[in-house]
Amino acid sequence: MNNYPFNPSKLFLVFIWMLLFGTVSENITSAQDRGMTPEDVSEYQIVGGAEISADARQIAYTLVIQADPNVDNDFASQHLYILDTETEESRPYYTSSTVSSVSFRPDHSSVTFLTRLEDETENALYEIPLDGGDAQEIFRFETSISDYKWTSDGSRIAFTANEPVEEEESSLPYEPEVFEEDFVHQRGYIVGFNNENAGPMRIQAQGTVYAMSWSPDDRNIAISETPTPTIDDFYMSQQVKIVNAESGQITSEIDNEGKLGQIEWSPDGSQLALRAGHDINDPIDGRIMVVSSEGGTPENILPDFEGKFEQIKWTQNNTIRFLASEGTETSFGTISPDGTRLNRELSADGPNFISFSKANDDTFAFVGGTMEHPTEVYLREGKQQPTRVTHSNEWLDQISLGEQRTIRYPARDGLEIEGILILPVDYQEDNSYPLIVMVHGGPEAHYSNGWLTAYSMPGQVGAAEGYAVFYPNYRGSTGRGLEFVKTSQGDAAGAEFDDIVDGVDYLIEEGIADPDRVGVTGGSYGGYATAWMSTYYSDRFAAGVMNVGISNFISKWGTSDIPQELYLVHSLDWLWDDNNWQKYLKRSPIYHVDNAQTALLIAHGAEDTRVHPGQSLELHRHIKVRKPEVPLRLVLYPGEGHGYSRATARYDYNLRMMRWFERYLKEDSDEVPDATLKPED
């Protein structure tokens, strides 16, 4: 299952929390005397997004600053900074509240963003002149603005916001929740700033509006619309439509199907490039699909590309710029809209970039991380290599880091599998070490060779404590093309999870991993893998930390908010078809509990709608009743969903995870750690 919280209007947050990127820093000196700690993980800052101005003189970027987990269990904040590209000096522009959707306003010397002040309940649009000054509110809607896009002259915006709804007071002294019947559509609107009396005009789409993209002449807007505002429809049913910007009426429709991540107009407005799925069964929106803006069926211009396109942008000379994942590395280059003349401009051994922004000339701003530090801003002028221009965590230069490398190994059926390995700090080749296997979710996701340490990923904290940490990109992972990502469909817990065990065997054969001290962890589908390794493969794993994971595929079908995605891109059949009940029961960890001997810590967000907390409750109950001798604990985090967003919950999980591995991979004890957790533990 997709292992990130749903926030369609802020898709860049998927990168912030999933791609917290990672060998030994060139800046490490003899003064370094410690490795990374959970406290460091709770404090470091990352760049969330960056946009370069049209004249290439400034870069507006957001810095994500975590709350202090010892003081306030709150969300991270995003603050606005402006960097002068000539001096490479940054200055804070807005830090009073968290910002999103930062944009330079075309033909105006200003930067705009969405925020809400301390006493406000809805996001509104604010503006600050580039030469300084206070933020001024320039537009407010009845409900919170989700996202907006400027016309080329900065005179109008298209924006999305929830449709205003009048709430009726109940005649009873309580208000029940009516399940999945109280959804509110997110609508699209257009508003101009040259006429103060002109109110917003609603785009005449019947369903929920997500993506919005102005045509080059500002006469039309390409939108994506879904029948309902459910997460399932967002993933599987976004339909591209063209809207006349004067009337708000839909004038044409695109016959696209499957996942959709981006819509880009050609310079002459005659074509659209979609970053989307190849077909309805493609698990990701990582292909470039081109279609006439007047309608038609999109065509995959490079179906044999063995990678995943992460971002696209049409250029004035009728080529498409792309940022792509290829294996564990990223590439940046251009391709013609007919799929010819693929040109990679940046070498694969550089930073792991997650986004780019282009000025009117050939100057680019990138956001990317490396093995030594989380995401920062990079500047590229002309054909030069990008250079890092922000330094948000200089203290990291004084932290000893474990060496990080990409590894490749054969699965038992001969298929080559990639993964990333972080070695312990002070690694010695003649020693074997306890191993933590970190399994990604999805399964349509992958690990890139960048910064790989976060609250839910042991990474350099594990390396500092003497562990090798292994990140397998098992079959079904992204970044290796359409065929590879479909290899695990219809085979849950089959060859995909065998690939993980084969990777462990490879590391044992290499003399790196101690076969008696292997642990496993992961969230969502990675939590499913952890449960599988702790039951079906339990003789191979001494400890497991299962996070928001699946334990019963039968009840999963009836409790998740993505049944269509589960069917179309994961299982390819329904639970109730062709006697599948027994098939899916046997692919459920609860079916194999009699094998369980792995010390298992289970964690779950109490408000999770993607993988219901009942999945963790079921596995906990089965093991507790059937195998009471197995060390076991279940921790629920109030107010958290499919992954943890608040500072103290994240810190608590990281401490518990590392303490669990310490107890069962290093200490000679079967005693369950104290349930009470203190930071000094």
Side-chain angles (χ1 to χ4, degrees), residues 151-171:
T151 53
S152 60
D153 62 358
S155 65
R156 290 178 291 170
I157 61 168
F159 70 95
T160 53
N162 280 353
E163 184 176 30
V165 176
E166 291 186 12
E167 295 187 6
E168 298 182 5
E169 291 189 10
S170 175
S171 59

Side-chain angles (χ1 to χ4, degrees), residues 284-389:
I284 60 169
D285 53 12
R287 324 300 165 199
I288 301 178
M289 313 289 289
V290 173
V291 64
S292 168
S293 59
E294 296 182 357
T297 302
E299 180 182 355
N300 188 344
I301 67 172
L302 201 64
D304 296 329
F305 179 63
E306 294 187 358
K308 174 181 182 285
F309 291 106
E310 304 285 2
Q311 184 183 350
I312 57 174
K313 183 70 175 178
W314 220 305
T315 68
Q316 289 302 315
N317 62 352
N318 203 37
T319 62
I320 298 172
R321 284 207 170 271
F322 68 82
L323 182 67
S325 296
E326 297 190 64
T328 60
E329 308 296 335
T330 58
S331 61
F332 177 74
T334 58
I335 187 172
S336 296
D338 63 359
T340 62
R341 295 187 296 170
L342 175 69
N343 176 41
R344 296 176 179 85
E345 297 179 5
L346 296 181
S347 59
D349 57 354
N352 189 266
F353 294 123
I354 62 172
S355 67
F356 71 90
S357 173
K358 183 182 181 299
N360 285 341
D361 61 10
D362 283 331
T363 306
F364 293 85
F366 292 88
V367 175
T370 71
M371 295 175 282
E372 294 87 11
H373 62 78
T375 50
E376 299 281 6
V377 179
Y378 287 76
L379 178 66
R380 183 196 187 202
E381 298 176 296
K383 300 299 182 183
Q384 300 177 3
Q385 289 293 312
T387 58
R388 179 181 170 188
V389 291

Side-chain angles (χ1 to χ4, degrees), residues 36 38 400-404 420-428 431-438 457-471 507 512-514 516-521 542-543 545 654-667:
M36 200 161 190
S400 297
L401 301 177
E403 179 189 347
Q404 182 171 313
I420 297 171
L421 178 67
I422 299 178
L423 293 169
V425 174
D426 300 325
Y427 169 72
Q428 302 292 323
N431 292 339
S432 61
Y433 294 85
L435 175 71
I436 300 174
V437 182
M438 177 73 231
M457 297 195 293
Q460 293 294 344
V461 174
E465 296 183 6
Y467 300 96
V469 187
F470 171 46
Y471 300 77
L507 294 174
I512 296 171
D514 182 337
D516 297 322
R517 296 186 294 164
V518 179
V520 59
T521 187
V545 179
N654 189 266
L655 288 173
R656 289 184 187 276
M657 172 177 63
M658 297 312 300
R659 185 179 64 170
W660 196 264
F661 286 133
E662 177 79 16
R663 174 61 53 90
Y664 297 109
L665 298 186
K666 286 186 176 182
E667 299 174 1

Side-chain angles (χ1 to χ4, degrees), residues 179-180 552-563 566 574-576 581 609-610 612 615 618:
F179 184 62
E180 291 189 351
N552 182 347
F553 242 104
I554 292 177
S555 58
K556 171 70 172 69
W557 275 93
T559 56
S560 177
D561 57 3
I562 53 169
L566 181 58
W574 293 104
L575 169 67
W576 45 86
W581 296 93
T609 58
R610 188 67 34 77
H612 193 274
Q615 292 291 310
E618 284 192 55

Side-chain angles (χ1 to χ4, degrees), residues 587-598:
R587 296 301 175 100
S588 301
I590 59 165
Y591 185 80
H592 303 281
V593 161
D594 286 341
N595 299 328
Q597 53 187 324
T598 303

